[in-house]
Amino acid sequence: MVSWSEGSISSWDDESVTSQLSRTIPCYEWSGIGHELSSCCLHVEPCVRQVAFQSTDTGRRFLACAKEKAEEKCGYLEWIDPEWSVAMQFCIGQLWSMHDKENEDRIRENLKFGEEIFKVIGEKRKMEEELRFFRLDFAKMVDEKEEAINQLRSARLAISDLKEEVEKKKLADHGCTNLH
Ligand SMILES: [Zn+2]
């Protein structure tokens, strides 16, 4: 006998056990409240028809407490189908481990992808920081160039003033020489 959770009894011989299967699968043929059935849960209320979807009990029909909220459930469980044969249980076990492995692989891939995204975000931040510094340097450089251009302009003006003065002086000197 394969036990699927601690404290539970996985035998169809038992009229009822107080345990709850966490995973079930919707089934067209076996669903809804069994008002017409004689079985009642510990609340003395009609049970809900469910199909197990976990471990080697996968596919087995059972009756359970019909309360919707988990905290209100009395934990009643009554198997309708007997346990699967050992061979069938082995096959179902294999299928679940294949499923679990695939899930693990997917989680690992997602984790790897997440790490890559994290790395890319880090690089983007670094680049933005570098760009910020570059902008500051560039603005400083532009200011310095403007300052240099202004100085050059002032120097040119000063030179042209000097030239003008020299020309005036030359003309004045020439006038003096002619007078003599
Ligand atoms: Zn109940």
Side-chain angles (χ1 to χ4, degrees):
M1 186 195 296
V2 179
S3 173
W4 36 265
S5 73
E6 211 181 336
S8 62
I9 304 157
S10 181
S11 166
W12 75 300
D13 296 328
D14 296 294
E15 281 265 303
S16 70
V17 289
T18 52
S19 186
Q20 204 66 45
L21 282 182
S22 55
R23 291 182 71 187
T24 58
I25 192 164
C27 176
Y28 169 72
E29 284 187 325
W30 188 256
S31 61
I33 310 286
H35 292 286
E36 73 284 11
L37 302 171
S38 58
S39 298
C40 284
C41 74
L42 304 182
H43 290 106
V44 203
E45 285 175 26
C47 295
V48 65
R49 298 182 190 90
Q50 291 192 307
V51 177
F53 198 63
Q54 67 179 53
S55 71
T56 49
D57 290 316
T58 300
R60 288 175 72 197
R61 294 173 301 164
F62 66 98
L63 292 167
C65 179
K67 296 277 185 198
E68 292 210 354
K69 289 179 185 165
E71 64 272 21
E72 288 177 9
K73 287 182 188 291
C74 62
Y76 180 85
L77 190 152
E78 181 185 333
W79 289 109
I80 301 300
D81 294 316
E83 279 192 330
W84 298 119
S85 68
V86 174
M88 186 64 170
Q89 287 190 26
F90 176 75
C91 292
I92 295 171
Q94 286 293 309
L95 287 173
W96 275 119
S97 46
M98 280 161 71
H99 170 265
D100 291 346
K101 195 189 165 293
E102 202 137 300
N103 268 355
E104 277 168 24
D105 288 350
R106 200 164 49 223
I107 288 167
R108 210 169 294 129
E109 264 169 40
N110 284 348
L111 199 71
K112 210 174 134 195
F113 184 62
E115 278 170 358
E116 272 167 24
I117 285 183
F118 188 72
K119 212 172 128 192
V120 167
I121 288 172
E123 276 167 13
K124 184 176 165 269
R125 277 208 192 116
K126 209 177 138 196
M127 277 169 77
E128 280 170 349
E129 191 73 357
E130 279 171 4
L131 186 66
R132 202 170 66 86
F133 280 122
F134 172 75
R135 277 182 182 150
L136 285 173
D137 283 352
F138 186 72
K140 204 177 145 197
M141 197 179 82
V142 167
D143 283 349
E144 283 169 2
K145 290 280 171 205
E146 271 176 4
E147 178 65 28
I149 287 167
N150 284 337
Q151 280 176 4
L152 190 65
R153 200 173 289 148
S154 303
R156 272 181 185 157
L157 280 172
I159 288 167
S160 106
D161 284 353
L162 276 171
K163 271 186 185 167
E164 218 170 283
E165 227 165 275
V166 168
E167 285 301 313
K168 273 182 192 167
K169 207 159 188 287
K170 266 187 190 168
L171 277 174
D173 287 352
H174 191 66
C176 283
T177 318
N178 282 349
L179 279 173
H180 287 294

